[in-house]
Amino acid sequence: MDGSMSVMGAAVLAVVLLLLIWRVLTAKGQAQFDERQLLARGAAYRAGFYTMLIFLAGVYLAMNLLDWQPHDAALPAFGGMCLGVTVFACVAVVKDAYLGIRQKPKQALLMIGLVTVVNLALGAAELTHSRGFSGGMTVANSMNLVIGAMGLVILLTLEARLAADSRCGE
């Protein structure tokens, strides 16, 4: 079962990467940002970076002080990066630095939704086939769950912002 899950995950990743490459190569123009959006994007980068930095410092300090080691050795670093990206994306959305998403919101929501659903499904499958949280440890491979949770938070933030914008526009 592990081999088929890996192949399925790799196939989904390959398809998503091919779609992104095709999208970049066929893009007709770059998004135009005003000065306010550039400043907001800078603030989002800063918030994401400092969140990641503080999270990683805290996790590694806790791992040393509490003698805790996750089964998935890459989880603290990967989780910190995903947390930083999530904070960056949410701050960018809230401060209206959309990074070009506003131009085609349905496509952006569909792509983020697809990646989120696939990762949550793969993470749930891994969770059901693992030994769980025995002895306070995490599952052996939890990266798909982390990516799925990250995508879900970003998707909900985007959806809330687009709904608020549509209410204000009416």
Side-chain angles (χ1 to χ4, degrees):
M1 186 71 180
D2 279 338
S4 65
M5 293 298 282
S6 298
V7 170
M8 186 171 79
V12 168
L13 180 63
V15 168
V16 169
L17 285 176
L18 287 174
L19 286 172
L20 287 174
I21 290 169
W22 174 76
R23 181 77 180 133
V24 168
L25 292 176
T26 59
K28 293 199 174 25
Q30 294 295 323
Q32 300 297 318
F33 301 108
D34 60 18
E35 184 177 329
R36 180 191 54 79
Q37 287 176 316
L38 291 174
L39 290 173
R41 189 168 57 175
Y45 281 131
R46 190 172 35 260
F49 175 75
Y50 285 123
T51 299
M52 179 184 69
L53 191 65
I54 291 167
F55 175 83
L56 290 175
V59 165
Y60 284 109
L61 183 64
M63 286 171 60
N64 287 328
L65 292 177
L66 302 175
D67 198 31
W68 171 73
Q69 294 296 318
H71 283 295
D72 189 354
L75 179 63
F78 187 75
M81 286 186 285
C82 286
L83 181 63
V85 169
T86 303
V87 168
F88 159 73
C90 291
V91 170
V93 167
V94 168
K95 290 187 175 236
D96 197 26
Y98 270 85
L99 310 172
I101 292 173
R102 178 179 275 169
Q103 291 157 349
K104 295 187 180 180
K106 288 183 182 179
Q107 288 180 348
L109 291 174
L110 182 64
M111 182 61 110
I112 295 170
L114 177 67
V115 170
T116 299
V117 167
V118 168
N119 276 292
L120 285 174
L122 290 172
E126 178 65 34
L127 190 62
T128 59
H129 297 303
S130 72
R131 287 177 278 161
F133 297 96
S134 61
M137 303 293 186
T138 56
V139 295
N141 183 5
S142 53
M143 290 188 192
N144 288 110
L145 282 174
V146 172
I147 292 173
M150 176 180 87
L152 189 60
V153 169
I154 294 170
L155 191 65
L156 291 173
T157 304
L158 271 171
E159 186 62 40
R161 179 62 191 234
L162 291 172
D165 285 352
S166 69
R167 279 194 304 268
C168 290
E170 293 176 351

